[in-house]
Amino acid sequence: MSETDTSSKGYAIFIETISDWDRYLNEYFPPASETVEEHGGTVLVGNPDPDVIEGEWDHNMTVVLEFDSVEDAQAWYNDPAYEEVKPIRLEACEYAHAIITPEFSLDDLPD
């Protein structure tokens, strides 16, 4: 499946350690949420305390956003309106990783 294939859902996944919750919740979250909505995205997961069932988990925020396609997820992430608030998220976090990925397909697994 190519990265511009619009036949499957696209997901933006964030794993973070937030050190400044006040900035994250008051300066980043409201405008970021608006940009997600403007791109037809939905917050599927936004949890600071998941139930860790295997391994170590040293992060205090997991976010999963769903979009109609990977292309839509990338368009949201690269939107100038989101680019404007993204530095606030990065400054409010000690650790932040993010990926964009298509929904699961057996065809994407190695042979």
Side-chain angles (χ1 to χ4, degrees), residues 6 24 29 44 50 56 73 85 87-88 95 100 109-110:
T6 59
Y24 185 89
F29 185 75
L44 296 181
E56 299 293 322
V85 297
I88 298 168
Y95 168 94
I100 292 178
L109 296 177

Side-chain angles (χ1 to χ4, degrees), residues 24-36:
Y24 185 89
L25 293 174
N26 295 307
E27 295 178 38
Y28 167 75
F29 185 75
S33 295
E34 286 180 23
T35 65
V36 170

